[in-house]
Amino acid sequence: MNIILIRPEEISGGTAVLSDTRHTHIKNVLKASEGDSLKAGILGGGLGTAEILNITDTCITLRPDCNAQAPAPLPVTVILALPRPKVFRRVLFGLACAGIKDIHIINSWRVDRSYWESPYLERDKIDEHIFDALQQSKDTIPPKVTLHRFFMEFAGEVLEKTEIPNRFIAHPAGSFRKEFPKPMCLAVGCEGGFIQKELDTFERYGFQQFSAGERILTTEYAVPYILGMIT
């Protein structure tokens, strides 16, 4: 962790008491002591520091002072066809670290139905994973992650109403691009990509196909590779 992230509800009277992995990290990894100042942030709020007021074997008491702004978000909305659950966790972590604040996880023809039953998609598990990503990337503002189990409902409810002018979908048949105007909306398929009917739907809503290059990458590697191309 590169900052100690504190939830607003953990603060009372200007101090926060932590007794979970953050306490363990501060005590055993950072080897911090009373009076030390740590880099910290408030979930949904600002960045700054936190002074250690008391530390024991079971908990730590901090006094946060977090008034600096969080890093600017990346002006990209990501639409991702649900990959294998373990891959989804890793990709989500990377998206949160990159500063993506609007993420739509969608169904598509090639998504295995069983993926939607994974405990990794439970809201508390997603929130916990994002919390860890924010601590890694020194950010405090979590992304909004929306799950869409039905492709056409997603198209009608989200694509129909989006006001983002620049829309792109990764597909091997597309042309290679060097520039991506922002703000933008990026769609990426799961292993095997989108079927033609889904591509046609995206195209109907203004998405342009583009290629990430000659090599065919798995979702886990394609997403960070493409983010590197567009930033």
Side-chain angles (χ1 to χ4, degrees):
M1 349 178 143
N2 291 307
I3 60 169
I4 302 301
L5 195 56
I6 302 170
R7 299 178 178 88
E9 61 270 23
E10 294 173 324
I11 302 174
S12 178
T15 64
V17 179
L18 309 179
S19 58
D20 56 10
T21 55
R22 292 166 293 174
H23 161 258
T24 304
H25 182 80
I26 293 169
K27 186 174 185 296
N28 298 334
V29 178
L30 300 180
K31 301 187 184 301
S33 306
E34 293 179 10
D36 288 349
S37 182
L38 307 171
K39 293 179 181 178
I42 307 299
L43 183 64
L47 285 169
T49 60
E51 180 187 359
I52 300 176
L53 300 181
N54 180 260
I55 186 167
T56 69
D57 289 338
T58 58
C59 66
I60 184 170
T61 303
L62 302 172
R63 180 165 55 208
D65 180 15
C66 300
N67 298 308
Q69 289 188 343
L74 193 63
V76 177
T77 292
V78 170
I79 299 167
L80 176 67
L82 178 64
R84 289 182 294 111
K86 289 185 178 180
V87 171
F88 163 72
R89 292 260 295 176
R90 294 192 287 268
V91 173
L92 178 62
F93 191 92
L95 291 173
C97 285
I100 304 293
K101 301 304 179 185
D102 191 17
I103 302 169
H104 295 270
I105 306 301
I106 68 170
N107 195 27
S108 74
W109 181 262
R110 292 191 172 106
V111 171
D112 192 303
R113 290 184 181 181
S114 66
Y115 293 174
W116 289 100
E117 308 305 322
S118 170
Y120 288 154
L121 270 67
E122 295 174 3
R123 181 54 56 179
D124 60 337
K125 297 292 179 57
I126 289 176
D127 291 344
E128 179 183 344
H129 202 50
I130 288 173
F131 191 88
D132 291 341
L134 295 176
Q135 291 191 118
Q136 168 64 34
S137 59
K138 296 179 65 176
D139 197 353
T140 62
I141 309 301
K144 178 182 179 182
V145 180
T146 310
L147 306 179
H148 306 272
R149 292 198 64 163
F150 302 99
F151 181 86
M152 294 311 298
E153 284 187 9
F154 160 75
E157 295 174 0
V158 178
L159 298 184
E160 178 75 32
K161 300 175 182 178
T162 184
E163 298 179 353
I164 300 173
N166 308 300
R167 309 173 192 181
F168 302 95
I169 181 169
H171 192 266
S175 300
F176 182 77
R177 293 185 64 97
K178 290 185 177 180
E179 296 182 0
F180 292 84
K182 299 177 186 63
M184 64 171 284
C185 187
L186 168 68
V188 181
C190 61
E191 307 298 336
F194 293 110
I195 63 172
Q196 189 59 49
K197 182 179 179 180
E198 294 164 344
L199 291 171
D200 292 343
T201 299
F202 277 109
E203 184 176 340
R204 189 165 67 250
Y205 286 106
F207 282 75
Q208 303 175 51
Q209 293 184 22
F210 75 96
S211 170
E214 295 181 1
R215 293 176 174 82
I216 305 299
L217 304 174
T218 62
T219 304
E220 182 175 358
Y221 294 102
V223 173
Y225 184 86
I226 293 170
L227 287 181
M229 292 175 58
I230 67 179
T231 57

